[in-house]
Structure formats: C-alpha cells, structure tokens
Amino acid sequence: MLTTLTVTRVQYKNILSKIIGRILGNKMNVEVRQAGDIRIKCIEYIDRKDKINWRKLDRVIGAQRNRLLCDKTIVLPKELGYKRFESNEYKVRLCTNLAISLLSALSKDNLCVGLIDDNATYSTLPKYLLTYTDNLVVVTKRGDVYSQVEKELLQDMGAPIRLSKSTNSLGNCDIIIAPEHNDEKLPSKDGCLVLKTKKQKESSNELILYDYFIRLPKKFSDICPKSLEDTYFASALYSIGYRYELGSFVPSLCKANNGMHTFSSLKNLMNKEAYKT
C-alpha cells in the first residue's frame, strides 16, 4: 500500500483564533482510497501549533516512512528514517516516449538522431527509433552490448547504427536523447532538440527539455491527494505500484530551458527547424 502525507497548516486571522487553535491542538485524518487493486493510505495532518508530532505520525505511516509520497515543502525527519519517494524511472520513460512520438509525427524523413546511453540501459530503444530514421548515432561505453544490438537490427530491419564513444559525434543531430546525461554541454548544432531528465546549468543554443508532465486518468486522479502533482503520483504508481499502463503515456506538457512546451508546439518547432537544412 502506498502512503501519502498532506500537511495543512492553519492560518489564523487574529490572536483569539490562534489561541483557540492551539487549545484544540493538531489533528490527523486517515483515509484509504482504492482504484482497482491499488490502495492508497492518505494521511492529512492538520497543524495548528506550527509543529508536527512525528512520533504520533510514525505510528500511522509505519514501514512506508522511507518512501513517503508528499510535497517537497515538507521537511521530513531523516533521523527517524523518513525519506520522500523520488524516482527518475518514470521521467526517463516519458522522455523516451516523447522522442519516439515526435519522430513519428515530424513531416521530414530521416532526421539525424543521437542517443547517449553510456551503460547500455536503453539498448532496446534503437529498434523503435529506427522505425522513423536510419540515421542513428549511439554514444556508449558498452560497445560490447551495442555491437550485438547493431548486428541484430541490421539483420531484422536492415537499419544500421553508428556507434561512438564520444559526444563529439553528435554535432549533426537534429534530436539528441540523453536521459541520464549530466550537465556537460553537448556539441550539437543550433536548433537541435535535446531530451534530458535534469536541467542543464550551462546555457546553450539547443532547445533542452528536462521535465515532463502528464494528466492522470480519472480513476487515478480520484485517489490522488490535491497536494500531489499528477506526474509525481504517476511516478509512484508506475515504479512501486506496478501500474505499467502509465508507461505508454506521452507528456502533454514539457519544461525546457526557454519555458513550457506542448507536444504540438514542439512538433511545429521541429518541422520548421528541419526545413531550414
């Protein structure tokens, strides 16, 4: 069972209401919500004293304390073993889903695509990318794995992969997929679309996407506390709730180094950039 925590801090209008609030003390509401075989324990802690009684909460949260679903603003007591649930797994999935969907929707054929996959974590991804381009560059440290992938795809699809150990080989790419790449600036051309999962500190001429958002299906939005953002809740459902159907979603909104983008705005932008070359 997943456990969520919402802390509602009471705002007092005057001294009298504050005194009454302090007398009443803090309150805790616990509710179990269910969607199919997914059960969510939703805890709302009403804080009237500007102080959370974590010992009292701990009796209700129990073993879920090390993967608690809550807002980032809540300061958890690490000394009691508390840790906010965080996982990059679902964001990576949204990142790669967006890349495939964009390629399938762009009007210019055979765009040059780059994939940075140092540890061969995404070695199944090229099969989907090669459906829409035969100009794919993979930068990896695991040439042993990708050499076999290259042979299989050439045999099955007749599509070659260009393997490289250096990001310098990505200079002509129109799209670069780099789910786990660090802040290092890539040697990409102007107008290149880079899909990452972390914000890049150094400014550049590329369009860099680094955060992705979905809208929850109604059955899951009905059980999601209002204090939690849809994609964060979906991430927990996917990673520890095993709701793998969420893995097929394409982001409806993306955050980039120059603001927010929809799927349609990205498609239109990439089509314009493609026809410049």
Side-chain angles (χ1 to χ4, degrees):
M1 183 185 295
L2 304 181
T3 299
T4 71
L5 174 64
T6 299
V7 174
T8 303
R9 291 183 170 84
V10 177
Q11 301 295 319
Y12 298 108
K13 296 180 180 179
N14 51 52
I15 295 295
L16 179 59
S17 63
K18 186 173 184 178
I19 292 172
I20 294 173
R22 293 298 174 90
I23 293 172
L24 291 173
N26 295 341
K27 183 181 177 181
M28 183 167 56
N29 299 318
V30 183
E31 176 188 5
V32 175
R33 301 176 185 176
Q34 187 163 350
D37 60 350
I38 291 290
R39 288 164 55 85
I40 308 292
K41 185 195 295 183
C42 300
I43 303 168
E44 181 188 18
Y45 190 88
I46 300 172
D47 181 13
R48 297 190 178 104
K49 295 184 174 183
D50 295 327
K51 187 176 181 181
I52 297 174
N53 186 337
W54 287 104
R55 298 290 181 184
K56 185 177 180 180
L57 267 173
D58 197 57
R59 293 196 293 270
V60 180
I61 294 171
Q64 297 295 311
R65 67 178 67 84
N66 64 348
R67 58 178 189 180
L68 186 63
L69 276 66
C70 64
D71 187 86
K72 284 183 178 180
T73 60
I74 299 176
V75 180
L76 299 176
K78 294 181 180 179
E79 67 277 8
L80 296 179
Y82 274 80
K83 186 177 181 181
R84 180 178 185 265
F85 167 78
E86 291 183 358
S87 171
N88 207 42
E89 182 183 14
Y90 191 58
K91 185 187 282 191
V92 166
R93 187 63 183 259
L94 293 179
C95 170
T96 55
N97 285 357
L98 178 62
I100 295 167
S101 296
L102 272 176
L103 277 173
S104 70
L106 294 176
S107 58
K108 185 174 180 181
D109 294 332
N110 209 34
L111 293 173
C112 184
V113 178
L115 170 63
I116 302 177
D117 187 12
D118 284 343
N119 299 312
T121 307
Y122 312 107
S123 60
T124 59
L125 184 58
K127 177 177 67 174
Y128 299 99
L129 300 176
L130 289 169
T131 303
Y132 307 105
T133 181
D134 61 7
N135 195 356
L136 176 62
V137 183
V138 176
V139 176
T140 184
K141 295 176 182 177
R142 293 299 307 276
D144 55 330
V145 175
Y146 265 102
S147 292
Q148 183 61 35
V149 172
E150 180 186 27
K151 290 177 184 177
E152 291 174 358
L153 292 176
L154 190 59
Q155 180 69 30
D156 296 343
M157 303 177 69
I161 298 174
R162 183 153 57 96
L163 299 180
S164 176
K165 295 180 180 179
S166 172
T167 57
N168 290 330
S169 60
L170 301 174
N172 292 321
C173 288
D174 301 289
I175 297 176
I176 297 174
I177 306 162
E180 296 182 356
H181 193 254
N182 58 25
D183 290 331
E184 174 194 348
K185 189 177 183 300
L186 297 172
S188 51
K189 66 181 182 181
D190 290 356
C192 176
L193 176 64
V194 182
L195 293 91
K196 292 189 170 187
T197 57
K198 293 182 180 179
K199 188 175 182 179
Q200 184 167 302
K201 295 177 182 178
E202 187 176 353
S203 61
S204 61
N205 294 322
E206 311 102 331
L207 175 59
I208 302 174
L209 305 181
Y210 62 89
D211 211 354
Y212 310 90
F213 306 94
I214 65 154
R215 293 186 180 91
L216 280 170
K218 188 176 186 303
K219 67 176 180 178
F220 293 134
S221 64
D222 285 346
I223 64 171
C224 179
K226 293 181 180 179
S227 62
L228 300 184
E229 191 270 326
D230 276 14
T231 311
Y232 174 69
F233 190 64
S235 175
L237 291 175
Y238 180 80
S239 296
I240 55 179
Y242 311 113
R243 304 312 304 181
Y244 294 129
E245 67 265 32
L246 292 169
S248 64
F249 280 41
V250 176
S252 56
L253 198 64
C254 310
K255 186 181 288 187
N257 55 339
N258 66 348
M260 304 298 289
H261 290 269
T262 64
F263 182 86
S264 294
S265 68
L266 287 171
K267 183 177 72 171
N268 292 337
L269 182 62
M270 289 304 297
N271 275 327
K272 289 177 183 177
E273 289 293 335
Y275 280 102
K276 288 180 182 179
T277 58

